[in-house]
Amino acid sequence: NRDRASKTPHLDARKRITHHSLNTTTIEICKAPIFWQPDGMFKLQMRVAYRDGTDGNHVYHARYFDWMEMARNEALRELGLPLIGLQRGGTLLPVVECSMRHHRPARYDDVVEILTQVSLPTRAQIQFDCQIQRDGEILAEGMTRHVATRLDGRPIRLPTELVAAIDPRRGLVAGADEG
């Protein structure tokens, strides 16, 4: 059941292709760890895919934004508020501002972690601050800011269930250090 899998805490099924010989390819399901850390940061771990790299074996700069999008989508899903659910409820969260600072390149087959901090700058905005790390070394830092809108694009306040899930005083997820 797809809904049950999305509510499973701390795990997200990913397909991985492994080559055992030149003639055989198998597909196995592996679990990518995703979870809230005690400090309120959401952590998503992933392996850099070959498609994300350039001929020089460093990750193409725009892929970092894709990874940040994956992390924020998973963070909202872990809060019980997947983006599709917000959309069905009449709320969109379009990006209105984004930035990225690159420190070191990620490379094919690296295992990276995307650490995401969620905050509420205003009653109509949500912000995701991200660090992309490899073995504790910061590779890139980025931010996306989103404004809540109706489906017709008119700005609105953030949904109460989203605000209730986030502590606006500290920008931490309420109850993230429990359990």
Side-chain angles (χ1 to χ4, degrees):
N1 184 333
R2 188 174 183 189
D3 287 335
R4 184 184 302 157
S6 68
K7 292 179 183 176
T8 303
H10 314 303
L11 295 176
D12 184 25
R14 302 276 190 229
K15 289 185 180 179
R16 181 177 64 193
I17 298 175
T18 55
H19 298 278
H20 294 290
S21 71
L22 292 176
N23 300 326
T24 308
T25 302
T26 61
I27 298 176
E28 64 184 54
I29 300 296
C30 64
K31 300 293 184 180
I34 56 175
F35 55 90
W36 290 103
Q37 298 187 128
D39 62 2
M41 294 281 265
F42 178 78
K43 179 178 168 182
L44 173 66
Q45 188 178 65
M46 57 169 278
R47 186 173 298 277
V48 176
Y50 187 76
R51 70 172 179 264
D52 292 335
T54 66
D55 290 340
N57 191 25
H58 63 274
V59 170
Y60 180 67
H61 70 278
R63 295 295 74 82
Y64 292 88
F65 283 112
D66 294 336
W67 297 349
M68 287 170 46
E69 179 182 10
M70 259 185 355
R72 72 177 175 257
N73 288 336
E74 293 300 329
L76 290 172
R77 182 173 288 114
E78 285 293 306
L79 286 172
L81 299 164
L83 283 175
I84 193 69
L86 291 171
Q87 183 178 345
R88 287 180 183 144
T91 302
L92 298 176
L93 295 173
V95 174
V96 294
E97 182 181 349
C98 63
S99 64
M100 178 72 61
R101 181 172 195 91
H102 298 273
H103 301 285
R104 302 209 182 296
R107 300 190 185 280
Y108 167 67
D109 214 33
D110 284 350
V111 174
V112 297
E113 295 175 336
I114 301 103
L115 302 172
T116 305
Q117 180 88 30
V118 185
S119 63
L120 302 172
T122 71
R123 290 187 267 189
Q125 294 181 350
I126 185 168
Q127 181 168 316
F128 298 88
D129 294 294
C130 297
Q131 271 190 359
I132 298 171
Q133 299 181 358
R134 176 187 53 228
D135 297 325
E137 176 184 34
I138 298 172
L139 304 178
E141 297 174 285
M143 174 277 296
T144 59
R145 187 176 292 207
H146 309 252
V147 66
T149 70
R150 296 188 328 194
L151 298 178
D152 65 6
R154 290 186 54 195
I156 57 173
R157 287 187 177 182
L158 289 165
T160 55
E161 64 270 18
L162 182 57
V163 173
I166 299 170
D167 179 349
R169 291 170 288 124
R170 297 182 358 215
L172 301 180
V173 175
D177 54 355
E178 298 173 3

